[in-house]
Amino acid sequence: MKTKTITVKDYFEGEIQVTQAEYIERWAKDSQAHKLIQYGEHFSEMNDKVKQIEKLYEELAKQSFNISWEREAQKQLATIGE
């Protein structure tokens, strides 16, 4: 009995004949690669968001410092004015 095969297009090998077992193995690897690509894209997006949040924290810290500095300056001016 002849083994069943189908023709698939492989990115590196072009059109090739594969058995059902080979097809399942290739499909599983492609599926895993696709998931890894998705996770990589998700990680990259999250990394960009973390960087944006870090910039916001830095900006908030600067503003907080400036507000505290202004309050201190106002207190000192009020003390001098008394």
Side-chain angles (χ1 to χ4, degrees):
M1 183 171 160
K2 189 174 178 184
T3 305
K4 292 181 183 178
T5 62
I6 61 171
T7 303
V8 295
K9 290 183 181 180
D10 182 84
Y11 183 78
F12 298 105
E13 301 174 46
E15 288 188 357
I16 58 171
Q17 294 287 315
V18 294
T19 64
Q20 184 180 32
E22 292 168 334
Y23 179 81
I24 291 169
E25 184 180 337
R26 286 175 175 272
W27 187 83
K29 285 181 182 177
D30 287 348
S31 179
Q32 290 172 351
H34 180 71
K35 286 179 185 174
L36 289 174
I37 290 168
Q38 285 180 325
Y39 290 145
E41 290 170 352
H42 176 72
F43 178 78
S44 179
E45 289 174 19
M46 295 307 293
N47 192 37
D48 290 344
K49 289 179 182 178
V50 167
K51 287 179 183 176
Q52 290 174 346
I53 291 170
E54 286 174 346
K55 287 180 183 178
L56 289 173
Y57 277 140
E58 184 178 335
E59 185 59 34
L60 286 171
K62 287 177 184 177
Q63 290 179 13
S64 177
F65 177 85
N66 289 338
I67 290 169
S68 296
W69 184 85
E70 287 178 19
R71 286 182 182 158
E72 286 286 321
Q74 288 173 355
K75 286 179 186 175
Q76 289 177 0
L77 287 175
T79 304
I80 293 171
E82 291 178 355

